[in-house]
Amino acid sequence: MSEHELRVSKIRNGTVIDHVEGGQALNVLAILGIDGSEGLGVSVGMNVPSDRLGRKDLVKVEGRELSQSEVDVLSLIAPEATINIVREFEVVEKNRVTRPDRVAGVLSCPNRNCITNADEPVETRFEVVADGVRCDYCSTVLRSDIAEHIDV
Ligand code: CTP
Ligand code: ZN
């Protein structure tokens, strides 16, 4: 890194979500349910130069780790993301996200007539397909607007 580059600081304890596709950082925060009111330290880098992706976004959250269902949904909008767990300033774990075969109970179906939107105790279930996720009940496919249908 050259001395002219400005980077967000290292964190002491928490999670760094790195190699997020440019433009998706705010959706990452939405998936994690972070809007600042939690009082967590959060740093966001947008369109940071990256060898692998050209440009990338990254999100650093202090004092918080991620649940598997959050990682599953992240993988849908940021398939190249790396999740780094930081403890006492050291990266102690680094994992690439993997796209799950299905996600249950984390996304709402955009089809208002879907059984999952009726007043029934039915958990949402989507199959992960090449171009998005498909509702098991009504076959509606959610594509680019996945982040707006998060229920976590
Ligand atoms: N990081 C951080 N605070 C720390 C340690 C690391 O914010 N105390 C961040 C780094 O700035 C980087 C990410 O966590 O964005 C991963 O750190 P590291 O594994 O050290 O960097 P790289 O080797 O460049 O990662 P990769 O190989 O995944 O690109
Ligand atoms: Zn549906």
Side-chain angles (χ1 to χ4, degrees):
M1 197 192 317
S2 92
E3 61 188 282
H4 300 296
E5 274 181 84
L6 182 63
R7 289 290 170 95
V8 282
S9 351
K10 301 254 171 200
I11 61 171
R12 179 167 195 154
N13 288 296
T15 305
V16 177
I17 304 144
D18 199 358
H19 306 114
V20 172
E21 190 185 324
Q24 294 293 346
L26 295 180
N27 286 334
V28 169
L29 293 177
I31 288 168
L32 302 184
I34 292 172
D35 66 9
S37 63
E38 306 76 23
L40 300 172
V42 176
S43 316
V44 175
M46 291 187 187
N47 299 313
V48 175
S50 158
D51 292 343
R52 181 137 61 85
L53 300 178
R55 296 265 164 183
K56 66 175 183 183
D57 285 2
L58 81 164
V59 174
K60 303 188 181 191
V61 184
E62 288 179 71
R64 162 95 135 74
E65 296 191 3
L66 310 187
S67 68
Q68 189 57 49
S69 62
E70 287 171 329
V71 174
D72 282 350
V73 181
L74 277 181
S75 74
L76 303 177
I77 63 150
E80 304 287 319
T82 316
I83 313 278
N84 299 275
I85 311 286
V86 177
R87 295 212 180 101
E88 286 304 319
F89 295 105
E90 298 292 330
V91 174
V92 295
E93 204 181 312
K94 182 188 291 283
N95 293 302
R96 281 285 291 275
V97 299
T98 51
R99 274 162 73 86
D101 294 332
R102 27 198 346 105
V103 289
V106 295
L107 295 172
S108 61
C109 183
N111 172 10
R112 295 170 50 137
N113 297 321
C114 181
I115 180 92
T116 59
N117 289 320
D119 207 2
E120 303 281 347
V122 179
E123 189 182 55
T124 60
R125 288 205 313 247
F126 289 82
E127 185 185 351
V128 178
V129 293
D131 57 345
V133 296
R134 183 168 53 216
C135 178
D136 272 5
Y137 298 94
C138 71
S139 299
T140 298
V141 177
L142 254 176
R143 295 186 176 84
S144 54
D145 48 353
I146 285 173
E148 279 117 67
H149 292 91
I150 295 149
D151 254 359
V152 187

